[in-house]
Amino acid sequence: ILLVNGLTIRIYKDHDHDTVIGSGLFYIVSHCNHSCLPNAEWCTIKDKNNENKMKIILKAVQPINKDEEIFISYFSHTHSYRDTMSRQLYLKNGWNFDCKCKRCQND
């Protein structure tokens, strides 16, 4: 379950450098499906009240209508810019599915 639905927790030093500190299951974000054109994104931040705790933030990056599914990207920014075949192969190897999002259907 963790391999398919888990999220990698990173601490970003800057836009291009991060450190992986673990992975976890987060009730709402782990239920989000993938799209190569996501309408939401997530990140982790340190809890202001407890430096040893992390919080996960899920935020819209496009308007999301009531009853519309929330989609996140399963891969990092470096994979987002790749061609359809590369993205499809990455998703098939990592999550065992063929992406049918609008971007993959239009490419």
Side-chain angles (χ1 to χ4, degrees):
I1 291 174
L2 187 60
L3 289 175
V4 175
N5 297 100
L7 301 171
T8 302
I9 303 167
R10 299 172 169 10
I11 295 177
Y12 287 91
K13 296 175 184 160
D14 57 50
H15 184 70
D16 295 322
H17 300 92
D18 63 19
T19 301
V20 174
I21 62 168
S23 60
L25 292 170
F26 302 91
Y27 185 76
I28 293 174
V29 179
S30 292
H31 279 84
C32 293
N33 285 317
H34 168 81
S35 173
C36 296
L37 289 172
N39 57 12
E41 66 183 14
W42 66 274
C43 67
T44 52
I45 60 169
K46 287 189 175 184
D47 188 319
K48 292 179 190 176
N49 299 320
N50 185 341
E51 202 171 284
N52 296 320
K53 286 188 176 182
M54 301 291 288
K55 288 184 176 184
I56 191 161
I57 306 288
L58 178 66
K59 66 179 181 177
V61 294
Q62 296 178 17
I64 302 172
N65 296 319
K66 182 181 177 183
D67 297 326
E68 184 179 351
E69 185 171 2
I70 298 172
F71 290 101
I72 60 174
S73 176
Y74 286 0
F75 36 65
S76 67
H77 299 295
T78 57
H79 282 82
S80 297
Y81 299 107
R82 294 187 179 178
D83 63 274
T84 302
M85 188 180 294
S86 297
R87 293 191 320 268
Q88 289 282 348
L89 184 61
Y90 186 78
L91 292 166
K92 189 70 163 181
N93 290 335
W95 291 271
N96 198 32
F97 76 93
D98 297 313
C99 185
K100 306 273 192 237
C101 74
K102 290 178 186 178
R103 181 175 175 198
C104 287
Q105 290 177 350
N106 291 334
D107 281 355

